[in-house]
Amino acid sequence: MNEEEQLYAIALSRMTGFNAAMALQLYNTLGSAQAVYEHRHDIGDIVTDATPHLCEVLKNWDDALHRAAAEMDFVTKKKVNVLTLHDDAYPQRLRECPDAPIVLYYRGSTDLNQRYIVDIVGTRHCTSYGQDMVRRFITDLRKQCPQVLIVSGLAYGIDICAHRCALEQGYDTVGVLAHGLDQIYPYRHRDDAARMVGQGGLLTEYMSQTEALPNNFRQRNRIVAGISDATVLVESAIKGGGLITCRIAQEYGRDVFAYPGAVGMPYSEGCNMAIRTNMAALITSAQDFLEAMRWQTVSEKPEVIERQLFPELSDEEQQIVRLLQQTNDLQLNIISVKTNIPVSQLTAMLFQLEMSGVVKPMAGGTYHLMM
């Protein structure tokens, strides 16, 4: 993505006051942040949901562009990647969400579109039981499914336990922050964060000089949920950020799991309630999780569907194959956008390719090229 579009995307995020849903609607309706700028005087005619106040605010971009220019200097000096919605590196799963940020800031070494991604969340006041469950889950998951990205929020308790266990097991792990990349909160996790940049990464929607305010943590939970295939809750009080992440994941149509705890224990009440109300499915091990998600494990042999040696593919089917050869494991809507094939037609074609043994549907609505 060119730097000019990044500049306008940063400015637009600031001008909409981090009202992600409205920023996303503006972005999608007009096709780019720069286009929003170019139509700044007639936004109300194009986006009927835009309030009179927002239409007035969007007429003057001077201050926002000045601040965005300063942010561009910061990201250049600190080697931060700016990801806008149309960037290939932008998390595909998050892009599907109705309140996805139009711009993300990322420092790291891992692919945010890995085949399998799971977030692990829970209380900041975890017990030894919670720590043990996280450790067992990640250790056993690593043995059965080596290629998984572990996501959490770098907070005290379950979050940092998940990050540290992932690092120990050789997993990449990404921390989603509630502030800018010019600081680490809590500060005592700075050494963990430094390791994660080389074995995972740090991700945020907030520009530098943004403090870790309470509302920011609630906002960042949607990124934790949206970037992942599934959410695993390990210890939670009856109210807490982990439960907020689970609710958001459920709204996004993602899978949600929880470890049960002892009845009456304060940091088990949230998990037990989530299971009781069917917000989350009960798991007691990584094996339970893998079976529910149907992720391919090292003990399984890939399904081999008998097919012709040289299947006769149409021009459009060959176009799909060429795309998956370049970037495998893409979701249906991404394939549709990149091939310009309507979803209704594409669904039938992918089914035919599956029957021919050319592609295989995977978790998260992705398609894997078998050839």
Side-chain angles (χ1 to χ4, degrees):
M1 181 63 66
N2 63 65
E3 292 186 1
E4 191 170 19
E5 175 60 18
Q6 292 175 349
L7 179 75
Y8 285 109
I10 293 170
L12 180 59
S13 288
R14 184 173 177 84
M15 295 181 75
T16 51
F18 291 100
N19 181 339
M22 178 52 68
L24 183 62
Q25 184 177 355
L26 290 166
Y27 194 98
N28 286 336
T29 301
L30 287 131
S32 70
Q34 187 171 353
V36 177
Y37 171 77
E38 292 168 352
H39 288 275
R40 62 193 180 278
H41 295 298
D42 59 351
I43 288 295
D45 297 331
I46 301 171
V47 182
T48 56
D49 290 343
T51 64
H53 173 72
L54 179 62
C55 292
E56 191 62 32
V57 167
L58 288 174
K59 290 180 180 178
N60 188 350
W61 287 56
D62 293 348
D63 290 344
L65 286 172
H66 180 74
R67 177 65 180 87
E71 191 66 14
M72 291 294 288
D73 289 339
F74 169 79
V75 300
T76 299
K77 291 176 183 176
K78 298 299 183 180
K79 299 181 179 179
V80 173
N81 294 310
V82 179
L83 307 177
T84 58
L85 274 169
H86 293 323
D87 289 329
D88 290 339
Y90 189 97
Q92 295 173 8
R93 297 164 177 84
L94 183 61
R95 189 186 283 126
E96 299 173 353
C97 302
D99 52 359
I102 63 171
V103 62
L104 292 168
Y105 306 94
Y106 176 56
R107 283 191 66 206
S109 55
T110 197
D111 179 6
L112 298 174
N113 290 301
Q114 291 193 33
R115 182 176 179 182
Y116 299 137
I117 304 179
V118 59
D119 68 83
I120 301 173
V121 296
T123 179
R124 299 186 181 204
H125 308 283
C126 67
T127 66
S128 57
Y129 165 77
Q131 294 175 24
D132 187 47
M133 291 302 99
V134 171
R135 190 173 298 109
R136 288 187 187 183
F137 178 81
I138 292 178
T139 300
D140 293 344
L141 189 68
R142 173 68 171 165
K143 293 175 183 176
Q144 288 295 308
C145 200
Q147 301 300 321
V148 178
L149 176 61
I150 305 295
V151 175
S152 199
L154 201 70
Y156 290 112
I158 294 297
D159 285 20
I160 195 61
C161 183
H163 290 308
R164 287 171 178 167
C165 290
L167 291 169
E168 291 169 4
Q169 292 299 319
Y171 270 146
D172 284 355
T173 181
V174 168
V176 183
L177 309 181
H179 50 75
L181 286 172
D182 56 335
Q183 60 179 302
I184 293 297
Y185 178 86
Y187 184 69
R188 68 191 302 176
H189 295 167
R190 63 192 183 280
D191 291 339
D192 303 290
R195 285 188 64 192
M196 290 164 63
V197 170
Q199 190 179 322
L202 303 173
L203 183 70
T204 184
E205 67 178 310
Y206 296 107
M207 62 179 67
S208 61
Q209 301 179 43
T210 301
E211 298 299 321
L213 302 175
N215 188 59
N216 293 1
F217 288 95
R218 290 187 287 272
Q219 284 288 100
R220 73 93 191 269
N221 288 345
R222 81 186 196 285
I223 300 178
V224 174
I227 199 176
S228 309
D229 297 306
T231 294
V232 174
L233 182 67
V234 184
E235 284 200 314
S236 172
I238 199 66
K239 294 182 179 180
L243 281 173
I244 293 174
T245 305
C246 290
R247 291 191 184 100
I248 296 171
Q250 188 180 45
E251 290 170 1
Y252 288 164
R254 309 296 166 81
D255 292 287
V256 181
F257 302 90
Y259 273 85
V263 174
M265 296 300 291
Y267 294 112
S268 293
E269 288 182 351
C271 290
N272 292 344
M273 180 274 293
I275 295 167
R276 186 178 66 252
T277 59
N278 295 319
M279 178 195 297
L282 184 154
I283 57 170
T284 60
S285 66
Q287 186 64 36
D288 291 347
F289 173 81
L290 288 169
E291 289 176 0
M293 293 299 295
R294 298 182 181 178
W295 287 358
Q296 184 176 310
T297 65
V298 294
S299 61
E300 297 171 339
K301 293 182 180 179
E303 292 181 27
V304 178
I305 304 175
E306 186 176 352
R307 63 173 184 265
Q308 301 172 19
L309 185 60
F310 300 102
E312 296 296 328
L313 304 181
S314 67
D315 290 343
E316 288 181 322
E317 288 172 335
Q318 290 178 7
Q319 187 181 0
I320 296 169
V321 169
R322 284 195 297 271
L323 174 62
L324 292 175
Q325 285 175 332
Q326 295 171 4
T327 308
N328 211 351
D329 300 337
L330 293 177
Q331 294 178 326
L332 176 67
N333 63 328
I334 301 300
I335 299 174
S336 177
V337 169
K338 290 185 177 293
T339 60
N340 202 29
I341 301 173
V343 170
S344 57
Q345 181 182 350
L346 181 61
T347 301
M349 294 172 65
L350 286 168
F351 178 75
Q352 186 58 47
L353 289 172
E354 179 188 350
M355 292 300 97
S356 300
V358 178
V359 302
K360 177 182 178 181
M362 306 298 290
T366 61
Y367 284 85
H368 178 75
L369 181 65
M370 302 290 287
M371 299 178 69

